[in-house]
Amino acid sequence: MTRAILLGTLLAVGGLSLTLAAGQPPAGPTAKALAATKIEKVKDNLYVITGSSAGDQDAFSGGNVAVFVTDSGVTIVDAKLPGWGQVIVDRVKTVTSKPITRIINTHTHSDHTGSNEFFGASIESIVQENTKANMAKMDEFKGKAQFLPKKTYKDTMKVGAGKDEIDLYYFGRAHTNGDTFVVFPSLRTMHVGDVFAWKALPYVDADNGGSVMEGGKTIGKVIANVKNVDTIINGHIPTSSWNDLKEYQQFLSEFAAFAEKEAKAGKTPAQASDEWKLDPKYKGYVVSVNPMFGGARTNMDIAYKELGK
Ligand SMILES: [Zn+2]
């Protein structure tokens, strides 16, 4: 999610409106959000810190954070909203005494990078190169270049070795133009960030290079190239399966194909989004998790723009 959208949502929450209107940072953890932010075991030495449901902004702390406990320290994937660094540390302390030594961000948005700064300028931090460029444009990092990620990669990067190995992949545009897929091969698990945030139409950030037409193709490349993964850590819902990822790939590809067909038939984006219906074969899906995060019309408008219509 983008900061602008997030702030718009927070403004709807009465108690925060004065603080935000005065240009202050978000008020930080509320009791309800703290209660929703739990650390849960995924497998062995891999955990997820929750509180990520975009459907309940009162309890929202940012995207799911993966916590990977290695011999040399703890790697976290994503860093929630600004103001949540200490909570991340506190949750990690309940499962290990090792320090957090590395941050990997799946993409630029402040609900995934907001607390990077809390961990200091010298922590090892890694993103895809386009995401570093996107982060450099964010208000959160204006005049704070020392907190931008230190390491970048273009297509793939391996960090650690043996059971502590982490493989990073970039496969093209989807949620943004810098989405990293973070694979923990020893645990057959992959954090996919907001490329598969929820079982609904996506929020695609066209301003940061995201693409409605490419999203399904990008996940198709993940499915063709990444092996031996059975568990998915999603951006904003509890963990899902490899088959769920395949199903989501089909869902996005069908939406893109529908947009293309409607555009060719001379339909307007309004007509096309009215005619698009959520296929009941997608069990547990909704059109949109929150009207602010990309329903059919928003996705159709972006698709039409990409199609040159
Ligand atoms: Zn996002």
Side-chain angles (χ1 to χ4, degrees):
M1 283 175 272
T2 67
R3 182 179 168 79
I5 287 171
L6 193 70
L7 289 181
T9 314
L10 289 171
L11 284 168
V13 183
L16 292 172
S17 55
L18 280 176
T19 326
L20 289 172
Q24 299 296 312
T30 63
K32 192 177 177 191
L34 275 172
T37 304
K38 301 185 173 80
I39 188 161
E40 294 174 349
K41 183 176 276 213
V42 178
K43 285 176 187 176
D44 300 338
N45 52 323
L46 179 65
Y47 303 82
V48 65
I49 303 177
T50 62
S52 62
S53 171
D56 185 0
Q57 290 291 317
D58 285 350
F60 188 66
S61 60
N64 285 326
V65 173
V67 174
F68 186 51
V69 183
T70 76
D71 284 348
S72 58
V74 176
T75 294
I76 58 171
V77 179
D78 285 348
K80 292 195 177 288
L81 290 166
W84 282 85
Q86 189 58 50
V87 179
I88 292 170
V89 168
D90 292 344
R91 296 294 180 269
V92 169
K93 271 185 188 157
T94 66
V95 299
T96 180
S97 57
K98 289 178 180 164
I100 296 170
T101 51
R102 182 191 289 136
I103 304 174
I104 298 163
N105 299 108
T106 57
H107 66 289
T108 188
H109 292 153
S110 68
D111 56 325
H112 300 259
T113 60
S115 288
N116 273 33
E117 179 182 339
F118 175 88
F119 295 95
S122 60
I123 192 166
E124 182 183 358
S125 46
I126 312 171
V127 292
Q128 202 275 344
E129 62 185 22
N130 298 332
T131 285
K132 183 169 182 177
N134 293 338
M135 287 171 78
K137 293 182 286 182
M138 289 169 67
D139 287 345
E140 284 84 346
F141 294 96
K142 286 261 162 66
K144 294 178 177 178
Q146 71 270 33
F147 298 115
L148 287 170
K150 297 286 172 298
K151 293 188 185 174
T152 61
Y153 74 97
K154 189 179 174 67
D155 298 313
T156 183
M157 180 184 235
K158 187 205 271 210
V159 289
K163 65 179 175 33
D164 291 345
E165 179 179 328
I166 304 170
D167 298 329
L168 311 181
Y169 297 97
Y170 175 71
F171 285 115
R173 298 164 66 202
H175 181 61
T176 69
N177 64 357
D179 305 306
T180 288
F181 297 86
V182 183
V183 179
F184 307 99
S186 62
L187 298 173
R188 302 174 62 91
T189 300
M190 171 167 65
H191 195 320
V192 300
D194 285 357
V195 174
F196 181 15
W198 43 58
K199 292 185 175 182
L201 285 172
Y203 167 64
V204 169
D205 182 359
D207 291 339
N208 278 309
S211 169
V212 170
M213 298 306 295
E214 295 295 318
K217 292 177 199 167
T218 296
I219 300 179
K221 288 182 202 162
V222 177
I223 291 163
N225 289 285
V226 176
K227 306 293 178 205
N228 301 314
V229 166
D230 55 33
T231 302
I232 305 295
I233 298 174
N234 301 81
H236 292 279
I237 55 170
T239 53
S240 63
S241 71
W242 181 256
N243 279 337
D244 290 325
L245 181 69
K246 285 166 88 171
E247 181 185 55
Y248 196 62
Q249 193 272 334
Q250 188 182 356
F251 174 71
L252 294 188
S253 298
E254 285 177 8
F255 185 90
F258 182 84
E260 196 161 11
K261 178 174 73 97
E262 293 284 275
K264 274 199 186 120
K267 303 284 177 64
T268 65
Q271 287 170 325
S273 57
D274 281 350
E275 286 171 20
W276 182 82
K277 293 285 176 279
L278 178 60
D279 191 324
K281 75 183 175 188
Y282 293 109
K283 301 265 183 288
Y285 275 62
V286 293
V287 173
S288 168
V289 289
N290 180 321
M292 309 196 79
F293 304 132
R297 180 61 198 271
T298 315
N299 276 274
M300 200 61 76
D301 283 345
I302 296 170
Y304 267 62
K305 218 172 181 179
E306 292 179 41
L307 291 163
K309 301 284 179 180

